[in-house]
Amino acid sequence: MLMIDCPWCGRRDQSEFSCKGEAHIARPVDPFALSDKEWGDYIYTRSNPKGEHAERWLHSQGCRRWFNALRNTVSDEFIVTYKPGEARPDTSAAASAEVSP
Amino acid sequence: MSQRYRLAGAGRVDRSSPLSFEFNGKQYQGYRGDTLSSALLANGVHLIGRSFKYHRPRGIMASGWEDPNAQVQLESGGHTLPNTQATVTELYPHLRATSQNCWPSVEHDVGAVNSALSRFFVAGFYYKTFKWPRKAWEPLYERVIRRAAGMGKAPAEEDPDRYEHQYAHCEVLVVGGGVAGLAAARAAADSGVRVMLLDEQNEYGGALLGSSGESIDGMDALDWVASTVAALRENPKVTLLTRTQASGYYDYNYLVATERVTDHVGPQPTADQPRQRLWKIRAQQVVLACGAIERPQVFADNDRPGILLASAIRHYQHRYGVLPGKALVVLTNNDSAYHTAIDAAAAGVHATVVDVRPAEDIGAADRARKAGVVVLENSAITGVDYRVKRGIRSVAVHRLSPDGESLVGGAMHIDCDLIGTSGGWSPTVHLHTQARGKLHWLDEHLCYVPAQLGGNSNPRRSAGGCNGALGLAEALAQGHAAGSDAARDCGATTASVSAPAAQSNDFTLGKIRPLWVLPCEHPVGMGKKKHFHEYQNDATVADVQLAHREGFSSIEHLKRYTNTGRGTDQGKLTNVNGIALMAQARRQNVPDVGFTTFRPPYTPLAFGAVIGQNTHDTFIPARPTAMHPWHVEHGAVFEDVGDWKRPWYFPHSGESMHDAVQRECKAVRASVGVLDASTLGKIDISGPDAVRLLEMVYTNAWQKLAIGQCRYGVMCNEHGMVFDDGVTTRLGEQHFHMTTTSGGAARVLEWLEEWLQTEWPDWQVFCTSVTEQWAVVSLNGPRARDVLAKLTDIDLDEESFGFMRMREGQVAGVEARIFRISFTGDLAYEINVPARYGRYVWEQVMEAGAEFDITPYGTEAMHVLRAERGFIITGQDTDGTVTPMDLDMDWIVSKKKPDCLGKRSWTRSDTAREGRKQLVGLLTQDPEEVLPEGAHIVSKVLPKPPMEMLGHVTSSYYSPNAVHNGSTGRSIAMALLKDGFARLGDTVDLALIDGRHVRAKVVKPNFLEEAGDA
Ligand SMILES: [Zn+2]
């Protein structure tokens, strides 16, 4: 059972949250300027990485606010949570420091 | 003779409290402090049950949760617990238990014929046999074989016991109350942090309870345990839980443990304590001190009752004063088992050690011989003379060739009635691996130990036996260090208490010899003798070799092919043997074949404990409406809609459901009916960008909607598919009242919030759920206006209050919003009042309507009435693959709006193609034939499936109001049908699940007009 840091409420039990899929997929400004393939990518294609994944979470049993999180899909660890509209945090420096020789 | 294997004056049982108990219908005596297994062994009972596949007699092997065989059916009736482990069942007065897996009795078991057929029951038997012909599945495979190979019986009655859940938090959680765990808890507690100490047994001490001759800090080791526990009890920040098994270790240090609160006093339906309590613990730091489990050796017929782990024999001797034999043979490949022989010899038992190692590798031989133990080096047990009635009579022993793979010379027979076996020790790493910890193979100890910390979301340490520390001093030192380090990592100051010091001359492993299977006269798998590497699922060395030959040589395949480690014991004794045997078959080293994943729970959990208080009335919260008590008083039958309780229909006395629904439907069309529509989802939407939001989430236009006007809308997801619908009303320039389906209220609110928070955060809109703030009385039928007119001063004539309008005013003296909207197609008013007036206004409406025969109706009539007019229910007539166009609702899609959610998807090639399923009405040729919902429309009826499917029935009812050949009353249905709109007027075939075929005409779904029947 994970512990998740809601950017508004603080650390809470996973049972208060719902995962809402990949983050940073902006709705196209003009959907009709897109080909079927491009629109299909927007609604269907997701990255599904092994490792660090940016995803949306909803504090559904708490403040009911949405936020983003970087989670490691292998270890299930939450690396950082941040508010919608904020850029995806760069963890490359921290990650390379953790790599053991 | 009663308890003839009980030693005088030994053990920790209470001799002043004799208890009688029953096993398989026979009465026995034991003492308070016994387990069921120690009491049975005291009475010379080894035979407990029959094995799963071959029905071989099996007995007690161990003294704890690791035992694979000693499972019984405890008690009977609702209290019964199948697969109960005798080794951890504390004896209580009049305990009753029976054997499992045998019929008619454990001594005379019909299923033992399976053993004679054993060549058919090899590994993979189930996978190979349970295939075609399918006809044989149910009558033969399931009933006969499953029954013969069953485990315990599930209770048929309701469980009378109470269970509860408890949450807890602490800084340092210590799992295991042996020396390492106690030292850890003591060190952590001394630093001032909150500590929880869990132990599965009824008293602390762990392995010390089954040994002797050790001391700590200058006192007898068990006295040190007692004084340490006493000091911990004094500390208010320490929680001590005995009889508590941590069985699951989940992420972020969340552990689940079962406390057996009253199991040890037996069935007590009136007890004020629960039977079990499930703890859910979140800890900052965890110290695992779970100990180690001895591994049996794999030799010919190593599963006979009377063969125990060497350490278990010693445990029974010292903890319970039970030594269940008069002549003992211990088979070992390491030094630790010598303690068992030495202590047994001291109690007057004739003891022999058969050691597979050469003399120069044995460190314990001299001390053993001095104690009177016979030591045979370089030897192995090659056969066991066993009879069900008389138990073990002797063993055959051969000398081993230098490589240990063959025998030298002839057999020597040693008379004995008890065998101890030791193949080394396996640290209990289960919780460590559940916490995603990795393992490391220690070749010099032949065991897996926890590797470096894996991941930092589960901060934890392993100490003592589960970390490979088998000696007392090492276990104490590791426990102390782990406890103080854990406390320090929680921010505590360093412990001032110093590490306890041990005085011990115990043997640990010495120089252990890896002989994973001991040879006998025949090669493994030939002859009558079996070499079991896994007891509970009856898997033998020959099965491992077969799995390897058939290509199932991955350790994960082996696990599934032979069921190794998949029983209720999860292979606690035997996993490493299975892995090592596969390594041998593959000619690899043990760590190269990998390790199967241990999954929770470590020990079986009772369903009752998992369920806790979530049962009966407290299973799920119920949402009643404000009018609910009236419905109850008037005999409503209720339907669950989400968590809501809604009246389904209101039967008069003696009336069937069908008759009640027909009467309600007729009454609405003839005069007036009233529905409690309070459950309708309601969302208050306000703000400068409210219209902008509606324009995006609905498919139609909202800019020009006047204040006081209502409009129906459907919502689509970005795939262009309909997912909810409802009526939204403009209350003010920037203020709207949205309604949703009863089941979709939460989903729609979340949908609005998702877009507002993540995509359009600069839009200024507030969305507030007001579902429970408003009670809704829905008046329907030609006399609806007459009823309402009696209760309100609002002008109801068509001019001032037309269709799709909302008016505010008083109803029965209560401030109300009245919406003139209709889900029946008839004249209708939805009266919204503050929920606290809901019942009052409902009663006023009923009174005012009495002269018009007002009829309360439920959700079933509501469904029929809306279907008569072809109104959809999202989620019933739609299923997430249906666009507004598929519903023949092009009119609700704005052509002028530049964009709305889902709009772009309607022009995708798949959404725009020909041949999509479209919503139509169906009229069966026989008007009395009501189609089952879900029935398939097929292109051509064939004698049997498969048939080409064109669509399916989504809604189907008998309608008393539908028009048919000039009269009323007939079956009506709606269906999603391929190219449905092009098939209007056609006749289609439906293949029903009962094999019948029905024909129906495709029509527009409006069944109140004769035209539909044309
Ligand atoms: Zn929150």
Side-chain angles (χ1 to χ4, degrees):
Chain A
M1 193 80 85
L2 308 173
M3 290 291 276
I4 302 173
D5 233 323
C6 172
W8 284 278
C9 307
R11 266 163 84 86
R12 295 288 189 279
D13 195 286
Q14 178 189 347
S15 58
E16 295 183 13
F17 297 85
S18 332
C19 182
K20 296 293 177 179
E22 188 167 357
H24 303 300
I25 297 174
R27 187 169 197 270
V29 176
D30 180 4
F32 292 89
L34 268 51
S35 68
D36 272 10
K37 163 100 179 52
E38 289 164 333
W39 179 255
D41 281 347
Y42 157 65
I43 51 178
Y44 295 116
T45 309
R46 297 295 180 264
S47 59
N48 194 26
K50 180 179 181 181
E52 191 178 294
H53 188 218
E55 50 196 26
R56 306 188 305 168
W57 283 78
L58 170 61
H59 195 183
S60 41
Q61 307 290 313
C63 64
R64 298 212 312 224
R65 297 186 77 170
W66 293 65
F67 59 91
N68 293 330
L70 292 185
R71 184 177 62 92
N72 185 313
T73 58
V74 179
S75 69
D76 236 3
E77 278 176 76
F78 278 81
I79 300 151
V80 63
T81 57
Y82 52 105
K83 294 175 180 174
E86 292 178 357
R88 174 179 175 148
D90 181 9
T91 56
S92 55
S96 60
E98 270 175 31
V99 173
S100 50
Chain B
M1 193 178 93
S2 176
Q3 303 199 50
R4 63 196 158 114
Y5 295 99
R6 187 79 69 176
L7 301 172
R12 304 172 63 77
V13 294
D14 180 0
R15 308 266 172 164
S16 65
S17 277
L19 304 176
S20 59
F21 67 101
E22 185 187 305
F23 180 63
N24 283 338
K26 257 181 93 173
Q27 296 294 322
Y28 297 95
Q29 295 279 316
Y31 293 112
R32 190 170 297 283
D34 263 325
T35 59
L36 177 56
S37 62
S38 69
L40 286 169
L41 289 174
N43 288 282
V45 178
H46 281 280
L47 176 59
I48 300 296
R50 291 275 176 168
S51 70
F52 185 68
K53 200 158 75 177
Y54 301 128
H55 284 241
R56 283 171 67 105
R58 290 284 164 81
I60 296 159
M61 282 200 73
S63 55
W65 282 105
E66 65 276 12
D67 194 293
N69 297 330
Q71 303 204 350
V72 297
Q73 184 93 26
L74 187 67
E75 301 301 337
S76 56
H79 193 87
T80 193
L81 204 59
N83 307 337
T84 302
Q85 280 181 281
T87 48
V88 294
T89 301
E90 292 176 52
L91 202 63
Y92 52 79
H94 312 300
L95 178 149
R96 288 178 62 209
T98 49
S99 292
Q100 300 182 162
N101 271 359
C102 55
W103 184 82
S105 76
V106 70
E107 288 89 3
H108 306 278
D109 176 40
V110 170
V113 70
N114 282 5
S115 205
L117 298 173
S118 65
R119 69 191 182 89
F120 299 112
F121 281 82
V122 294
F125 162 78
Y126 287 95
Y127 304 119
K128 288 169 180 166
T129 311
F130 287 5
K131 293 193 288 193
W132 305 98
R134 202 166 152 184
K135 273 182 191 155
W137 185 284
E138 218 261 325
L140 176 66
Y141 304 149
E142 284 292 336
R143 283 196 203 153
V144 181
I145 299 175
R146 279 278 174 203
R147 187 168 163 208
M151 298 291 288
K153 288 186 178 58
E157 293 166 37
E158 189 171 325
D159 191 337
D161 293 310
R162 210 159 50 73
Y163 301 83
E164 62 184 39
H165 289 180
Q166 173 129 12
Y167 290 85
H169 299 262
C170 61
E171 274 79 44
V172 178
L173 170 66
V174 181
V175 180
V179 283
L182 286 167
R186 176 177 172 268
D190 202 59
S191 333
V193 299
R194 287 177 304 168
V195 174
M196 291 184 76
L197 173 61
L198 274 45
D199 192 81
E200 62 181 26
Q201 296 287 322
N202 61 337
E203 58 177 333
Y204 291 99
L208 280 182
L209 297 168
S211 68
S212 72
E214 282 123 339
S215 54
I216 301 171
D217 282 349
M219 58 182 114
D220 180 86
L222 285 172
D223 291 338
W224 178 86
V225 168
S227 74
T228 303
V229 170
L232 289 170
R233 268 191 220 293
E234 296 276 293
N235 187 331
K237 292 180 113 175
V238 175
T239 305
L240 292 166
L241 293 173
T242 52
R243 300 187 173 101
T244 304
Q245 177 77 59
S247 59
Y249 193 144
Y250 304 91
D251 284 332
Y252 288 70
N253 274 355
Y254 182 80
L255 285 90
V256 169
T258 313
E259 181 184 6
R260 301 184 308 282
V261 184
T262 57
D263 279 85
H264 63 287
V265 296
Q268 286 199 327
T270 57
D272 58 355
Q273 287 280 323
R275 182 174 182 174
Q276 295 181 0
R277 184 178 289 129
L278 194 76
W279 288 81
K280 303 176 179 186
I281 305 166
R282 185 80 75 170
Q284 271 192 43
Q285 297 281 328
V286 172
V287 175
L288 297 174
C290 314
I293 293 171
E294 197 168 25
R295 221 163 37 223
Q297 291 248 15
V298 181
F299 59 99
D301 288 342
N302 56 336
D303 65 327
R304 294 308 192 190
I307 303 177
L308 281 76
L309 296 177
S311 60
I313 293 173
R314 191 173 181 225
H315 195 91
Y316 285 113
Q317 180 180 350
H318 293 301
R319 185 166 178 190
Y320 305 105
V322 173
L323 189 49
K326 304 295 178 197
L328 167 70
V329 172
V330 173
L331 172 68
T332 188
N333 67 350
N334 69 84
D335 284 352
S336 71
Y338 279 78
H339 283 297
T340 302
I342 292 168
D343 290 0
V349 164
H350 186 269
T352 307
V353 175
V354 176
D355 198 321
V356 300
R357 298 173 295 174
E360 61 270 26
D361 289 349
I362 305 175
D366 289 348
R367 233 169 87 190
R369 287 193 173 109
K370 270 185 207 133
V373 175
V374 178
V375 178
L376 303 172
E377 61 265 7
N378 231 353
S379 303
I381 294 180
T382 54
V384 180
D385 182 5
Y386 169 83
R387 297 285 183 278
V388 170
K389 286 279 181 200
R390 294 158 68 178
I392 293 170
R393 299 197 295 191
S394 69
V395 290
V397 173
H398 278 82
R399 290 192 52 89
L400 288 169
S401 62
D403 64 2
E405 288 182 12
S406 52
L407 307 178
V408 176
M412 171 168 64
H413 292 273
I414 304 173
D415 289 342
C416 65
D417 56 359
L418 181 64
I419 299 173
T421 168
S422 179
W425 290 78
S426 300
T428 307
V429 295
H430 300 64
L431 292 178
H432 167 79
T433 62
Q434 285 182 25
R436 300 171 186 270
K438 298 274 180 276
L439 298 174
H440 168 67
W441 177 254
L442 271 187
D443 212 36
E444 66 273 26
H445 290 163
L446 298 184
C447 67
Y448 278 105
V449 292
Q452 78 288 350
L453 286 182
N456 54 18
S457 65
N458 298 313
R460 68 184 183 283
R461 294 169 172 79
S462 291
C466 71
N467 197 36
L470 297 177
L472 180 63
E474 203 186 355
L476 275 171
Q478 286 192 2
H480 180 79
S484 36
D485 290 353
R488 185 201 59 219
D489 287 356
C490 297
T493 51
T494 312
S496 56
V497 68
S498 57
Q503 296 82 41
S504 165
N505 58 354
D506 53 351
F507 304 117
T508 53
L509 289 173
K511 190 168 182 195
I512 188 168
R513 182 176 190 191
L515 275 185
W516 299 107
V517 54
L518 302 184
C520 65
E521 305 91 317
H522 300 283
V524 162
M526 316 267 275
K528 284 188 173 168
K529 294 172 182 171
K530 290 189 186 301
H531 299 69
F532 288 93
H533 79 272
E534 143 78 60
Y535 301 90
Q536 200 176 89
N537 282 300
D538 270 351
T540 64
V541 178
D543 290 328
V544 176
Q545 293 169 351
L546 176 73
H548 177 250
R549 280 201 304 279
E550 298 195 338
F552 294 92
S553 53
S554 141
I555 205 70
E556 293 290 347
H557 283 148
L558 175 71
K559 174 174 169 176
R560 281 139 189 100
Y561 203 70
T562 64
N563 276 328
T564 297
R566 298 184 78 197
T568 57
D569 64 333
Q570 293 221 325
K572 292 182 179 64
L573 291 189
T574 52
N575 251 14
V576 169
N577 281 339
I579 291 165
L581 287 163
M582 181 53 84
Q584 209 162 46
R586 285 165 54 172
R587 298 180 198 288
Q588 284 177 311
N589 296 318
V590 174
D592 296 334
V593 298
F595 197 88
T596 56
T597 312
F598 288 121
R599 300 191 193 281
Y602 172 63
T603 54
L605 287 179
F607 278 112
V610 175
I611 292 163
Q613 300 100 325
N614 301 321
T615 179
H616 297 107
D617 290 345
T618 49
F619 176 62
I620 201 163
R623 296 173 84 184
T625 70
M627 295 78 127
H628 187 81
W630 189 95
H631 305 324
V632 173
E633 286 160 23
H634 290 78
V637 176
F638 289 91
E639 177 185 32
D640 289 337
V641 179
D643 295 341
W644 287 108
K645 296 279 173 203
R646 297 198 72 181
W648 196 9
Y649 56 98
F650 291 86
H652 290 171
S653 89
E655 207 175 31
S656 69
M657 174 176 174
H658 176 80
D659 290 346
V661 171
Q662 297 299 306
R663 174 180 50 74
E664 291 171 14
C665 289
K666 268 194 245 179
V668 171
R669 300 268 181 232
S671 178
V672 61
V674 59
L675 173 80
D676 179 357
S678 306
T679 63
L680 213 62
K682 301 180 257 321
I683 301 169
D684 186 280
I685 298 174
S686 66
D689 293 303
V691 174
R692 214 172 159 194
L693 175 67
L694 296 178
E695 287 279 323
M696 281 306 286
V697 299
Y698 279 130
T699 61
N700 47 353
W702 294 82
Q703 301 275 13
K704 291 180 183 152
L705 188 72
I707 293 172
Q709 214 170 7
C710 317
R711 183 161 290 170
Y712 173 76
V714 300
M715 288 187 188
C716 292
N717 56 26
E718 282 281 61
H719 304 171
M721 305 302 163
V722 174
F723 81 91
D724 207 274
D725 65 347
V727 171
T728 293
T729 303
R730 192 165 206 158
L731 302 173
E733 197 52 47
Q734 301 180 356
H735 191 192
F736 292 84
H737 176 87
M738 174 186 279
T739 64
T740 73
T741 57
S742 291
R747 185 167 54 235
V748 170
L749 181 62
E750 187 180 304
W751 177 248
L752 302 179
E753 285 290 341
E754 172 180 352
W755 289 99
L756 287 172
Q757 290 186 36
T758 67
E759 199 69 34
W760 310 314
D762 51 329
W763 292 14
Q764 295 181 49
V765 190
F766 286 114
C767 299
T768 309
S769 168
V770 292
T771 301
E772 304 209 332
Q773 276 63 34
W774 295 99
V776 180
V777 181
S778 179
L779 269 176
N780 282 267
R783 308 307 293 268
R785 183 180 287 124
D786 300 325
V787 177
L788 184 55
K790 292 173 68 179
L791 297 169
T792 184
D793 51 0
I794 300 173
D795 189 356
L796 298 179
D797 72 39
E798 193 65 42
E799 292 288 291
S800 49
F801 193 176
F803 183 51
M804 297 307 268
R805 295 287 185 278
M806 187 279 297
R807 290 288 175 270
E808 288 174 307
Q810 290 200 337
V811 174
V814 178
E815 290 300 330
R817 286 177 185 164
I818 305 174
F819 299 80
R820 211 188 130 188
I821 55 179
S822 175
F823 197 35
T824 58
D826 245 305
L827 176 66
Y829 297 93
E830 292 198 349
I831 306 162
N832 284 236
V833 293
R836 62 189 178 281
Y837 295 111
R839 180 171 183 182
Y840 170 75
V841 172
W842 176 274
E843 285 171 348
Q844 294 299 304
V845 167
M846 290 306 297
E847 202 176 307
E851 62 176 294
F852 307 103
D853 281 334
I854 191 168
T855 301
Y857 67 97
T859 51
E860 188 65 20
M862 177 190 82
H863 278 98
V864 178
L865 291 163
R866 63 89 201 178
E868 289 174 349
R869 282 298 306 270
F871 295 153
I872 61 160
I873 290 191
T874 55
Q876 176 167 342
D877 302 300
T878 68
D879 60 2
T881 67
V882 180
T883 67
M885 284 59 77
D886 297 335
L887 296 169
D888 204 13
M889 285 166 77
D890 304 61
W891 53 271
I892 204 157
V893 173
S894 164
K895 306 289 182 291
K896 293 184 193 142
K897 277 201 306 196
D899 195 10
C900 72
L901 297 179
K903 184 172 176 129
R904 173 64 182 84
S905 286
W906 298 329
T907 52
R908 284 183 61 234
S909 52
D910 184 64
T911 336
R913 71 180 160 83
E914 298 292 303
R916 289 184 60 82
K917 286 181 186 169
Q918 295 162 329
L919 190 73
V920 295
L922 292 181
L923 289 174
T924 46
Q925 281 188 341
D926 173 2
E928 300 302 309
E929 175 81 42
V930 179
L931 293 164
E933 286 172 357
H936 282 191
I937 305 165
V938 298
S939 64
K940 191 173 185 332
V941 172
L942 299 174
K944 59 176 191 174
M947 290 174 247
E948 191 200 358
M949 184 187 160
L950 298 179
H952 68 279
V953 175
T954 59
S955 294
S956 175
Y957 312 96
Y958 192 87
S959 156
N961 303 314
V963 183
H964 174 63
N965 289 340
S967 64
T968 54
R970 63 153 298 135
S971 136
I972 61 171
M974 289 154 79
L976 283 169
L977 174 63
K978 188 176 176 185
D979 283 323
F981 304 152
R983 291 181 200 262
L984 286 171
D986 291 1
T987 298
V988 290
D989 291 295
L990 292 107
L992 306 190
I993 199 158
D994 62 7
R996 291 186 307 126
H997 303 119
V998 173
R999 309 202 82 195
K1001 181 185 265 190
V1002 182
V1003 297
K1004 285 226 169 209
N1006 180 359
F1007 302 101
L1008 294 178
E1009 292 166 24
E1010 188 78 55
D1013 208 4

